[in-house]
């Protein structure tokens, strides 16, 4: 997917001025509330008309003030998943799911409802009214409805913000799997760095109505490390643990991580804050933390007075964060050998 | 309760006038409410003022304006008269008077219903491939049903009670243009006809109760359906 936007839109005192080109299948739009993310989404989907400029999707002109082109939303084939599921309250789950499918030209119907219903595990919900669904179920139906419209682009506008953490991380695999399974590129809008790390390959950072930068999830997490309450979030996919004195021992590269918040079987996703990693210059004699890992510093970066230390732990990567004075005191440089101590309770299970 | 043949005719005429006025005003009221709620255009405020004007004007004033417009020398009356379609002092004039007076109530209720629809539902529908008229038919119309029902009931009830504008443009001709309020007015002018007036008042109350009951029942049915 290639998206090219050079557009302006004034709304009251707010001016959105975007000029960017981005390619990829999993694009993120990151920004704080009021930065213009949703306005940008509305311009792309055709729900708002830019004051001037042009918008191209895969070389097709969606809008051009110069050429007097403005494709209506239904002709753009850009389906939106909103923060609130926005299921049609007067229609059944089935009618909601098929709303876009029935309006899609038969030639464009690549996705069969049965396969999507199976993928999103929607079969048990089909006969229920939308008022009887939980938040997570509603969002799954909304996702299914958007995908069944067979869009060229899926636009997800903060689709996880209204959900609690448990539901949020239950939905993420569905979001990713529909995109991968049916080959639909998406634009994922969020103000959460963690969601960006999990959902996007390439991120447009929007600030005060302008694209401030284009970044990878790792670059974004580094840039936001100092302001974020959790610092840099390390995301770890771990599986097949062994129970060990009330903890779960997960294999991780050549090491083993002891985690208190594990599950007996299967794969899990954990987050580990960069601020939860304590670094030692020498091997400590005895510590209470259950994980002590020997590691090599491969990179160091600054983030507003704090120092991010990229560690290689037997080939696996971790990012720790310390204050500048600590880095000076420990004489940490690229290539330094350090010991990282992490408490078993510092790992937070996401899914 | 005593009802003579002329009273029965007045009751039927009232129902006919109220039903016709409501049925005729409904599509236009829905279209105008949609324009006001969902469309941005120049002169929107003027349109809103015009729609609501009959609500603030005395019905007699409305009747007088209609008489000027529909009378033999009026802009519309002249054309209709030439086409052999008489309006003034016929039951059709009573329909026009009722429709004009009750119209703002209809539009206001439908508008309230439409304003309660989440804008994102409409955006979702459009992004799923529905053209504006498709969204209007499949999302806006069903979700405005409560407002449409409330507006229709209000307008029907208002039409039943319409007096001032009707007496000016339709007159008070028993069996032809005499509706319940006009008949009650006639009876009330004569002290010997108090019982007759009371009978028609009772019929009026009865019709109003039925209208309100039907409105409530339909509303409950809609609520049950949307809760499924």
């Amino acid at each position: 997917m290639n998206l090219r936007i050079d557009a302006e839109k004034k709304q009251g005192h707010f001016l959105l001025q975007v000029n960017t080109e981005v390619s990829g299948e999993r694009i993120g739009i990151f920004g704080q509330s009021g930065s213009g993310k949703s306005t940008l989404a509305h311009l792309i989907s055709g729900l708002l008309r830019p004051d001037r400029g042009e918008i191209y999707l895969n070389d097709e002109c969606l809008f051009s003030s110069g050429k007097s082109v403005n494709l209506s939303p239904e002709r753009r084939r850009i389906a939106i998943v909103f923060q609130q599921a926005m299921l049609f309250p007067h229609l059944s789950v089935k009618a909601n799911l098929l709303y876009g499918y029935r309006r899609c030209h038969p030639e464009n119907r690549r996705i069969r409802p049965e396969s999507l219903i199976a993928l999103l595990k929607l079969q048990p919900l089909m006969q229920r009214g939308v008022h009887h669904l939980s938040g997570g179920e509603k969002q799954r139906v909304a996702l299914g409805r958007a995908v069944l419209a067979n869009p060229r682009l899926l636009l997800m506008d903060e689709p996880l913000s209204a959900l609690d953490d448990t539901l949020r991380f239950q939905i993420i695999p569905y979001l990713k799997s529909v995109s991968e399974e049916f080959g639909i590129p998406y634009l994922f809008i969020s103000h959460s760095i963690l969601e960006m790390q999990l959902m996007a390959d390439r991120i447009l950072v929007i600030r005060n109505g302008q694209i401030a930068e284009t970044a990878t999830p790792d670059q974004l997490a580094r840039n936001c490390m100092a302001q974020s309450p959790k610092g840099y979030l390390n995301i770890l996919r771990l599986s097949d643990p062994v129970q060990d004195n009330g903890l779960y021992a997960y294999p991780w590269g050549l090491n083993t991580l002891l985690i208190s918040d594990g599950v007996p079987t299967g794969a899990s996703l954990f987050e580990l804050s960069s601020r939860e990693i304590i670094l030692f210059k020498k091997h400590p004699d005895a510590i209470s933390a259950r994980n002590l890992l020997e590691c090599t510093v491969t990179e160091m970066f600054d983030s507003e007075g704090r120092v991010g230390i990229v560690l290689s732990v037997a080939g696996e990567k971790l990012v720790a964060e310390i204050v500048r004075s600590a880095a000076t005191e420990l004489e940490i440089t690229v290539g330094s050998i350090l010991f990282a101590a992490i408490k078993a309770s510092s790992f937070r299970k996401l899914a | 309760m005593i009802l003579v043949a002329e009273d029965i005719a007045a009751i039927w005429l009232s129902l006919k006038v109220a039903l016709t006025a409501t049925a005729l005003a409904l599509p236009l009221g829905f279209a105008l409410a949609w324009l006001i709620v969902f469309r941005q255009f120049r002169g929107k405020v003027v349109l809103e003022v015009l729609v609501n004007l009959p609500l603030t004007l005395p019905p007699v004033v409305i009747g007088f304006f209609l008489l000027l417009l529909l009378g033999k020398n009026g802009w519309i009356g002249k054309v209709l008269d030439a086409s052999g379609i008489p309006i003034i002092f016929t039951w059709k004039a009573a329909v026009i008077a009722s429709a004009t007076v009750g119209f703002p109530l209809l539009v206001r209720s439908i508008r309230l219903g439409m304003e309660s629809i989440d804008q994102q539902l409409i955006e979702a529908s459009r992004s799923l491939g529905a053209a504006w008229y498709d969204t209007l038919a499949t999302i806006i119309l069903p979700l405005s049903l409560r407002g449409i029902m409330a507006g229709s009931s209000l307008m029907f009830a208002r039409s039943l009670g319409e007096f001032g504008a009707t007496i000016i443009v339709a007159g008070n001709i028993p069996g032809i243009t005499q509706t319940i309020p006009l008949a009650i007015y006639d009876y009330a002018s004569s002290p010997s006809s108090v019982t007759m007036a009371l009978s028609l008042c009772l019929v009026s109350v009865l019709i109003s109760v039925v209208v309100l009951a039907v409105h409530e029942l339909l509303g409950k049915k809609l609520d049950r359906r949307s809760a499924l």
Side-chain angles (χ1 to χ4, degrees):
Chain A
M1 187 258 304
N2 177 272
L3 183 66
R4 185 153 54 87
I5 313 172
D6 174 12
E8 249 181 52
K9 179 74 188 171
K10 197 167 189 329
Q11 285 187 305
H13 294 297
F14 179 77
L15 174 68
L16 181 82
Q17 227 172 1
V18 176
N19 185 358
T20 190
E21 182 169 0
V22 65
S23 297
E25 301 303 294
R26 295 153 30 105
I27 308 292
I29 299 180
F30 174 82
Q32 298 308 317
S33 295
S35 57
K37 307 186 295 290
S38 290
T39 307
L40 179 59
H42 276 66
L43 295 185
I44 295 168
S45 61
L47 295 169
L48 259 184
R49 185 195 167 95
D51 297 331
R52 60 137 226 99
E54 48 187 33
I55 302 171
Y56 281 83
L57 177 64
N58 299 335
D59 293 329
E60 189 193 345
C61 181
L62 304 181
F63 175 83
S64 169
S65 51
K67 295 178 188 166
S68 299
V69 174
N70 185 21
L71 281 193
S72 56
E74 70 272 16
R75 290 178 60 202
R76 294 193 185 196
R77 292 183 53 220
I78 298 175
I80 307 178
V81 181
F82 294 96
Q83 184 176 342
Q84 309 290 340
M86 286 300 145
L87 298 180
F88 303 129
H90 57 298
L91 300 179
S92 66
V93 168
K94 188 179 173 188
N96 263 283
L97 274 172
L98 297 178
Y99 189 89
Y101 184 76
R102 287 178 176 143
R103 284 159 180 80
C104 176
H105 194 279
E107 275 178 17
N108 295 326
R109 287 180 186 167
R110 292 181 297 115
I111 303 161
R112 284 173 37 246
E114 307 83 61
S115 51
L116 182 92
I117 288 165
L119 183 73
L120 292 177
K121 300 188 181 108
L122 294 173
Q123 196 56 49
L125 314 179
M126 294 301 278
Q127 301 310 321
R128 283 159 64 179
V130 295
H131 298 279
H132 299 290
L133 302 180
S134 69
E137 288 169 338
K138 279 183 183 168
Q139 205 55 291
R140 262 159 57 207
V141 175
L143 175 65
R145 182 179 68 174
V147 171
L148 275 180
N150 287 269
R152 287 187 299 178
L153 174 66
L154 200 55
L155 217 160
M156 301 196 245
D157 189 358
E158 305 251 15
L160 306 171
S161 303
L163 305 176
D164 62 34
D165 268 2
T166 316
L167 283 176
R168 201 150 63 117
F169 297 111
Q170 276 173 11
I171 293 287
I172 283 177
Y174 289 112
L175 297 179
K176 291 175 82 168
S177 59
V178 288
S179 167
E180 283 159 16
E181 180 85 14
F182 302 115
I184 306 172
Y186 62 73
L187 263 180
F188 187 87
I189 298 170
S190 176
H191 63 273
S192 157
I193 300 165
L194 178 61
E195 286 175 16
M196 283 293 145
Q197 283 179 278
L198 293 170
M199 291 296 298
D201 294 331
R202 198 92 196 130
I203 299 161
L204 299 175
V205 180
I206 186 162
R207 219 171 280 142
N208 300 323
Q210 293 190 325
I211 301 291
E213 59 177 316
T214 307
T216 62
D218 182 58
Q219 282 167 340
L220 178 72
R222 288 183 187 201
N223 295 347
C224 298
M225 185 178 78
Q227 307 127 18
S228 169
K230 288 181 179 173
Y232 182 105
L233 284 177
N234 294 284
I235 312 276
L236 293 93
R237 283 170 213 285
L238 305 171
S239 57
D240 305 322
V242 178
Q243 301 228 25
D244 180 357
N245 290 323
L247 300 174
Y248 295 89
Y250 283 90
W252 187 54
L254 298 175
N255 289 290
T256 298
L257 291 175
L258 286 169
I259 294 175
S260 51
D261 188 20
V263 279
T265 52
S268 300
L269 195 67
F270 294 93
E271 69 167 29
L272 171 66
S273 160
S274 56
R275 294 177 187 169
E276 299 275 354
I277 303 171
I278 299 168
L279 298 178
F280 294 87
K281 185 84 178 169
K282 291 177 186 161
H283 193 295
D285 288 341
I287 56 166
S288 62
R290 292 297 81 197
N291 299 289
L292 187 66
L293 307 162
E294 187 177 344
C295 44
T296 312
V297 177
T298 57
E299 198 185 339
M300 294 172 74
F301 61 92
D302 279 314
S303 180
E304 296 178 32
R306 300 184 73 91
V307 183
I309 314 281
V310 185
L311 304 164
S312 171
V313 189
E316 300 291 335
K317 190 187 119 184
L318 268 187
V319 176
E321 178 188 347
I322 54 176
V323 291
R324 175 149 298 286
S325 55
T328 313
E329 209 170 291
L330 292 174
E331 296 171 340
I332 297 174
T333 54
V334 172
S336 300
I337 306 287
L338 298 172
F339 292 90
I342 310 164
K343 291 170 81 171
S345 59
S346 295
F347 296 89
R348 179 169 160 257
K349 184 161 66 54
L350 301 175
Chain B
M1 189 189 287
I2 308 159
L3 294 172
V4 295
E6 279 178 6
D7 298 339
I8 305 286
I11 294 166
W12 281 120
L13 184 67
S14 281
L15 290 171
K16 185 167 124 181
V17 166
L19 264 176
T20 313
T22 308
L24 286 177
L26 198 54
L28 184 63
F30 182 79
L32 279 177
W34 175 77
L35 266 179
I36 292 168
V37 175
F38 295 110
R39 292 282 155 163
Q40 298 301 326
F41 55 93
R42 269 191 201 167
K44 191 170 170 177
V45 177
V46 177
L47 180 69
E48 284 183 62
V49 169
L50 281 177
V51 166
N52 287 315
L53 201 57
L55 210 58
T56 49
L57 282 176
V60 177
V61 174
I62 297 169
F64 187 68
F65 281 141
L66 285 175
L67 192 63
L68 290 179
L69 208 67
L70 300 169
K72 285 196 172 181
N73 296 318
W75 292 342
I76 302 173
K78 225 187 279 182
V79 179
L80 289 173
D81 208 42
S83 317
I85 308 167
I87 293 285
I88 295 297
F89 301 121
T90 67
W91 73 277
K92 292 171 205 156
V95 169
I96 294 171
S98 288
T100 311
V101 172
F103 194 64
L105 297 171
L106 178 76
V107 176
R108 282 180 93 83
S109 298
I110 299 177
R111 195 180 149 174
L112 280 176
M114 285 180 177
E115 280 170 349
S116 68
I117 301 172
D118 196 312
Q119 182 64 24
Q120 285 193 333
L121 287 174
I122 293 159
E123 292 176 353
S125 159
R126 297 297 308 278
S127 84
L128 290 167
W132 68 268
Y133 49 84
D134 190 357
T135 301
L136 180 67
T138 57
I139 306 297
I140 297 173
L141 179 63
L143 293 179
S144 310
L145 272 184
R146 256 232 175 249
I148 293 172
M149 249 170 45
S152 304
S153 309
L154 272 176
M155 176 153 181
F156 185 81
R158 179 68 186 84
S159 298
L160 280 177
E162 169 41 35
F163 180 88
T166 308
I167 202 164
I168 290 189
V169 286
N172 186 3
I173 310 162
I176 297 171
T177 63
Q178 191 177 59
T179 56
I180 297 174
L182 298 176
I184 293 172
Y185 172 73
D186 262 4
Y187 285 133
S189 317
S190 146
S192 60
S193 307
V194 173
T195 322
M196 310 291 277
L198 260 177
S199 297
L200 276 178
C201 287
L202 275 176
V203 171
S204 253
V205 171
L206 197 71
I207 294 172
S208 298
V209 168
V210 170
V211 170
L212 289 172
V214 168
H215 173 239
E216 286 302 316
L217 284 173
L218 284 175
K220 286 211 162 65
K221 202 175 168 187
L222 265 181
D223 288 346
R224 271 202 301 275
R225 207 180 66 178
S226 61
L228 286 176

